[in-house]
Amino acid sequence: MKILVMSDTHGDAEVIRHVRNQHEDIDVLIHCGDSELSYEHPHLAGMIRVRGNCDHTDTRFPDEQVVSHGDVKIFVTHGHLFQVKSSLLNLTYRAKELGATICCFGHSHLLGAEMIDGILYINPGSLLMPRGRREQSYVVLRKEHTKYIIECFTRQAELFETVQFEQQ
């Protein structure tokens, strides 16, 4: 299973198209909000997509989505409604309430991944305005048996970091 996760592209439709074209063998495509595009924009077609705090113009974006793929349940939200810039506690409560095994979110523009109480949290950073590091980033998550492999890529599709977690 391969999941591509991006967030916070802030109106740059071309970067979405470019990233998608670099990874054609993806099972699930996720945009964690602040695309600032219309819900029906062709570059978002087929993606799990949610509303970010900057997605004001199109009310069709849901605040959150839950999707099951294989043996994982993925909770997708932007993060602003859960105050992720100060703590993951509210996000954790919601992920547990939904029975999620993976939680994808954005908002802070900070790339990161961690396993908390058996839930894998992924923030792909931002493809436009990263914080905490210089790389404009997105993530490809692979699940192989009981292992999660998170590959971090630059906007130019260059792999710059890989981290692994055991599924709990």
Side-chain angles (χ1 to χ4, degrees):
M1 174 184 70
K2 288 178 84 170
I3 301 169
L4 189 149
V5 186
M6 67 177 78
S7 189
D8 296 283
T9 51
H10 292 284
D12 190 342
E14 194 54 32
V15 74
I16 297 170
R17 184 195 64 76
H18 174 72
V19 166
R20 289 181 71 158
N21 287 344
Q22 300 305 308
H23 303 275
E24 296 180 358
D25 60 340
I26 297 296
D27 298 306
V28 180
L29 295 162
I30 296 173
H31 195 296
C32 296
D34 277 358
S35 69
E36 295 188 52
L37 302 174
S38 73
Y39 186 80
E40 296 298 330
H41 193 284
H43 294 340
L44 295 176
M47 295 185 88
I48 306 302
R49 50 200 183 270
V50 294
R51 177 189 326 278
N53 58 299
C54 294
D55 293 318
H56 306 294
T57 58
D58 197 326
T59 59
R60 294 176 288 178
F61 286 99
D63 289 329
E64 56 187 47
Q65 287 205 49
V66 178
V67 62
S68 293
H69 187 79
D71 64 344
V72 299
K73 190 172 190 180
I74 307 164
F75 168 43
V76 181
T77 191
H78 184 58
H80 64 297
L81 299 175
F82 298 96
Q83 297 79 41
V84 298
K85 287 184 179 179
S86 58
S87 167
L88 294 184
L89 186 60
N90 292 328
L91 188 64
T92 297
Y93 288 148
R94 183 64 175 147
K96 286 182 177 183
E97 181 179 65
L98 295 169
T101 51
I102 299 172
C103 178
C104 299
F105 67 100
H107 186 55
S108 68
H109 297 213
L110 293 168
L111 173 66
E114 60 185 302
M115 182 74 76
I116 303 171
D117 293 336
I119 302 170
L120 177 62
Y121 293 83
I122 297 175
N123 184 329
S126 172
L127 278 162
L128 192 66
M129 300 174 289
R131 293 186 183 126
R133 59 189 318 138
R134 70 178 191 279
E135 295 92 358
Q136 297 167 314
S137 60
Y138 66 95
V139 165
V140 172
L141 166 65
R142 290 185 290 124
K143 183 172 182 291
E144 296 178 359
H145 306 289
T146 61
K147 188 180 294 184
Y148 292 116
I149 302 163
I150 297 113
E151 298 174 318
C152 306
F153 290 90
T154 67
R155 180 182 179 114
Q156 294 77 28
E158 297 167 350
L159 178 66
F160 67 91
E161 187 173 347
T162 301
V163 293
Q164 295 184 23
F165 296 95
E166 284 293 324
Q167 186 177 16
Q168 298 175 353

